[in-house]
Coordinates of all heavy atoms in Angstrom, one line a residue:
L7 N 0.8 14.4 -1.0 CA 1.2 14.8 0.3 C 2.6 14.5 0.6 O 3.3 15.2 1.3 CB 0.3 14.1 1.3 CG -1.1 14.6 1.5 CD1 -1.9 13.8 2.6 CD2 -1.1 16.1 1.9
W15 N 10.4 20.5 3.8 CA 11.8 20.3 4.4 C 12.8 20.9 3.5 O 13.8 21.6 3.9 CB 12.1 18.8 4.6 CG 11.3 18.3 5.8 CD1 10.2 17.4 5.8 CD2 11.6 18.5 7.2 NE1 9.8 17.2 7.1 CE2 10.7 17.8 8.0 CE3 12.6 19.2 7.9 CZ2 10.7 17.8 9.4 CZ3 12.6 19.2 9.2 CH2 11.7 18.5 10.0
L94 N 9.4 34.9 14.6 CA 8.6 34.0 13.7 C 7.7 34.7 12.7 O 7.2 35.8 13.0 CB 7.8 33.0 14.6 CG 8.6 32.2 15.6 CD1 7.7 31.4 16.4 CD2 9.6 31.3 14.9

Side-chain angles (χ1 to χ4, degrees):
L7 283 180
W15 286 106
L94 302 175

